[in-house]
Amino acid sequence: MPTLLWFRRDLRLHDLPPLLDAAAADGEALACYVLDPRLEASAGPRRLQYLYDALRDLRDNLDGKLLVTRGRPEQRIPLVAKAIDASAVHISADYSPFGRQRDDAVRAALGEVPLEPSGSPYLVSPGRVTKSDGTPYKVFTPFYGAWRDHGWRAPAASGPTSARWVDPSEVPGAVEIPDTGCELDLPAGETAARKQWKTFVDNGLEDYADDRNRPDVDATSRMSAHLKFGVIHPRTMAADIGRGKGPQAYLRELAFRDFYAAVLNEWPQSLWWNWNSSFDGMKLDDGPQAEKRFEAWKAGRTGFPIVDAGMRQLAQTGWMHNRVRMIVASFLVKDLHLPWQWGARWFLDQLVDGDMANNQHGWQWAAGTGTDAAPYFRVFNPTTQGAKFDPDGSYVRRWVPEIDDADYPAPIVDHAAERKEALRRYAALT
């Protein structure tokens, strides 16, 4: 009997444990992806374009043998499994709140056909790294030490020929892979990810620790969207990471990804609520003036060059340098006194790499409301941040070409005054 391999956040064939499990019975498997209308409605057009392009790449690597269907997974997956008389449905485990609820619904709908999870999108799956008493870590640094001690498996030896692929042409419910018409600034899918990673290892990894905070130089790996969609597994990447300063700095970033996934798994309410509820009473701005300032922030028209450059980079490309993400987030929550959820929602609408755990907890780090958060009294000065990390202004001039013109807006707030106001509001809660 064949098995069903249901792809989700694992749109690859190499280093894919459930592929090996799916082929373990008699070697025959149907590859399937379900376009969930809920996810299509909640993702921005660029993130959808990445998904669709990655699906096309996956289909090409399977010589066309990928069934793409549309609907609620708890309805579609049982129908597909029945159509091929599948002995089991194999998946990578999903630890997001949405993913866990979806999988529970599918498991119940499958009845006697087992839903078999193996592996996850992480080097170490959420819940595996805990304190000695079994409780979860709330601070990154001790988590990082325990995470390194725990270690991870070698890449799984899977690939396109690991299974005999069932021809999906006889299975009902197939749909064409859509297209949004958006142009991505980097190609999507497993083929592109493996090429991009090799280029970074050869040319950028060694200097990563020194250059990663500079948005004016091309020093980051640009692997975040590839990791978001699982077109490459971090195990594959970790196998190439040596012991030097640059490689170890990069490994630490992969650890942060695992840490935030573990936090969200343990505290799913932190998706949209303050992880640290002590800040629930924070006075935040609202009303027409707050909305006007929010629109200026989104449009990159705040009068603070590094903030505006970042927001325009986001709007035009669907990506923003991580240092600049911290700067624009601090500006929104501490200079404009707006809810971090507003910024998080806008990022998820715009980012190709929009990942719920990373995005939401990155925003809470900036707002001082999450685990291991930046101290509330740390308020980024956008002017000094720009001078430090974009010293000759080339990053700003690329995205804000009118920086020296008369029509560039004046600052919408006085940073020094708003810093004092932010500290006053935070101190009132401590």
Side-chain angles (χ1 to χ4, degrees):
M1 293 173 66
T3 57
L4 178 59
L5 179 59
W6 175 23
F7 288 90
R8 296 96 67 81
R9 289 182 57 192
D10 53 357
L11 303 178
R12 65 185 185 278
L13 296 172
H14 295 88
D15 195 1
L16 185 63
L19 168 50
L20 297 179
D21 290 347
D26 67 1
E28 194 173 28
L30 173 67
C32 174
Y33 185 88
V34 181
L35 293 167
D36 189 328
R38 294 169 297 179
L39 292 178
E40 289 187 299
S42 64
R46 285 197 193 92
R47 196 151 68 256
L48 286 177
Q49 188 63 48
Y50 186 106
L51 167 63
Y52 301 152
D53 288 351
L55 286 173
R56 277 184 275 271
D57 181 68
L58 179 62
R59 183 184 61 191
D60 291 346
N61 292 334
L62 286 166
D63 293 327
K65 292 182 178 177
L66 173 68
L67 173 67
V68 177
T69 185
R70 173 178 276 109
R72 292 285 287 257
E74 67 269 26
Q75 298 167 353
R76 296 305 309 160
I77 290 298
L79 288 174
V80 173
K82 183 178 181 181
I84 65 168
D85 195 20
S87 59
V89 179
H90 291 274
I91 58 172
S92 296
D94 191 332
Y95 289 86
S96 69
F98 175 88
R100 287 157 63 185
Q101 293 173 3
R102 175 202 59 208
D103 291 353
D104 286 346
V106 171
R107 185 175 287 107
L110 280 169
E112 294 182 0
V113 179
L115 183 67
E116 301 282 2
S118 56
S120 78
Y122 306 103
L123 278 167
V124 182
S125 298
R128 293 272 180 87
V129 175
T130 60
K131 298 178 187 177
S132 57
D133 62 0
T135 59
Y137 282 100
K138 301 176 182 178
V139 177
F140 173 73
T141 301
F143 171 89
Y144 182 44
W147 177 86
R148 290 179 63 114
D149 290 342
H150 181 282
W152 43 87
R153 297 174 181 173
S158 67
T161 60
S162 293
R164 297 194 313 276
W165 298 105
V166 173
D167 188 338
S169 61
E170 300 300 318
V171 181
V175 300
E176 290 295 317
I177 299 173
D179 197 284
T180 68
C182 287
E183 285 193 20
L184 301 178
D185 69 331
L186 288 177
E190 180 176 20
T191 304
R194 291 170 70 85
K195 182 179 179 181
Q196 173 74 19
W197 176 242
K198 185 180 187 307
T199 298
F200 178 69
V201 170
D202 291 345
N203 302 305
L205 186 57
E206 199 60 39
D207 296 325
Y208 178 76
D210 296 326
D211 296 340
R212 66 191 180 96
N213 277 308
R214 292 283 299 273
D216 58 333
V217 297
D218 184 16
T220 62
S221 70
R222 293 301 308 272
M223 296 298 293
S224 54
H226 299 319
L227 285 165
K228 152 70 184 174
F229 285 94
V231 299
I232 192 169
H233 197 282
R235 272 189 310 257
T236 301
M237 298 160 65
D240 295 328
I241 293 177
R243 301 187 62 83
K245 180 182 174 186
Q248 288 300 301
Y250 195 90
L251 185 68
R252 191 171 182 271
E253 295 303 309
L254 293 178
F256 258 115
R257 183 173 177 269
D258 281 15
F259 175 62
Y260 284 149
V263 170
L264 185 58
N265 179 62
E266 187 68 32
W267 295 281
Q269 75 280 2
S270 66
L271 202 60
W272 290 108
W273 296 90
N274 292 328
W275 180 88
N276 185 344
S277 59
S278 302
F279 291 95
D280 288 354
M282 170 72 71
K283 182 179 184 299
L284 298 168
D285 288 1
D286 56 16
Q289 181 68 10
E291 294 280 358
K292 183 179 178 182
R293 288 178 172 177
F294 182 52
E295 292 302 319
W297 177 82
K298 289 196 296 184
R301 299 282 295 172
T302 68
F304 289 86
I306 192 76
V307 173
D308 292 343
M311 297 307 296
R312 295 188 195 185
Q313 181 182 31
L314 176 65
Q316 292 179 41
T317 71
W319 185 79
M320 190 194 302
H321 188 280
N322 188 60
R323 167 58 57 170
V324 187
R325 294 189 198 200
M326 292 190 282
I327 296 169
V328 304
S330 177
F331 186 82
L332 183 86
V333 298
K334 292 178 177 174
D335 285 71
L336 303 185
H337 317 298
L338 299 179
W340 64 263
Q341 292 92 337
W342 289 16
R345 190 171 285 111
W346 179 246
F347 268 32
L348 288 173
D349 181 74
Q350 296 291 304
L351 285 169
V352 177
D353 65 22
D355 174 89
M356 295 303 286
N358 279 358
N359 187 66
Q360 308 307 84
H361 283 280
W363 272 95
Q364 293 209 51
W365 179 89
T369 67
T371 58
D372 212 22
Y376 74 84
F377 49 80
R378 183 182 186 186
V379 181
F380 279 54
N381 182 319
T383 303
T384 57
Q385 289 280 311
K388 182 177 181 180
F389 297 112
D390 184 28
D392 67 1
S394 59
Y395 173 75
V396 163
R397 283 195 302 276
R398 178 181 179 186
W399 298 107
V400 191
E402 81 279 18
I403 184 67
D404 297 320
D405 297 348
D407 62 347
Y408 182 65
I412 60 172
V413 294
D414 179 329
H415 170 72
E418 301 307 336
R419 177 181 180 276
K420 289 181 180 178
E421 174 61 14
L423 293 178
R424 186 190 68 77
R425 296 189 190 191
Y426 277 94
L429 297 174
T430 59

